[in-house]
Amino acid sequence: MADNLYTWEQVSKHNTEKDCWVVIEGIVYNVTKFLDEHPGGSEILMNVAGKDATTDFKNIGHSQDATRQLEDLKQGRIDPTSPKIVPPPPITVIESSKPSIPNPNTSWGPSVVIAGFIVAILAIVVYLT
């Protein structure tokens, strides 16, 4: 393994498909060449590109073969004095295709009024007969 020490800031810059690093248990791995070979697809690795992938790697329950494959991808280690970068939580934007207040200019607006009027007239006729 290379004896190179990297900060979290340095690792975080390696987050593209052309330059993809991950950290597992403090070891930095350059997984760029492995993206197309990953059984779960490249998007799995891209989700943790430039970040600590320890929890994700362990939660999947990788085989011993998978762990051995990492040996060839070692780039170095995380500097233990480096402050870990915690990304902000993602912002969720909720868009609605329909307005929350009915628009009287829509084609169904007058139809609802007319239908209500007809129901009222029928109710009166039934009541009177």
Side-chain angles (χ1 to χ4, degrees), residues 13-93:
K13 294 176 183 175
H14 299 270
N15 60 4
T16 68
E17 290 183 2
K18 294 184 182 201
D19 184 21
C20 183
W21 291 8
V22 298
V23 177
I24 300 171
E25 294 184 347
I27 308 296
V28 179
Y29 297 96
N30 182 344
V31 296
T32 309
K33 293 179 182 175
F34 186 68
L35 287 174
D36 292 332
E37 299 172 25
H38 189 268
S42 63
E43 57 277 347
I44 300 293
L45 292 172
M46 290 309 300
N47 285 338
V48 291
K51 302 175 191 170
D52 188 347
T54 303
T55 302
D56 297 277
F57 186 82
K58 286 182 173 184
N59 285 347
I60 294 299
H62 285 87
S63 66
Q64 289 181 343
D65 287 337
T67 304
R68 279 192 292 269
Q69 282 183 305
L70 288 174
E71 291 296 319
D72 296 332
L73 305 175
K74 285 183 181 176
Q75 187 74 24
R77 294 179 293 127
I78 283 292
D79 181 345
T81 64
S82 169
K84 195 167 188 177
I85 296 174
V86 179
I91 297 173
T92 304
V93 177

Side-chain angles (χ1 to χ4, degrees), residues 98-111:
K98 296 180 181 178
S100 58
I101 300 173
N103 183 348
N105 297 326
T106 61
S107 60
W108 61 269
S111 300

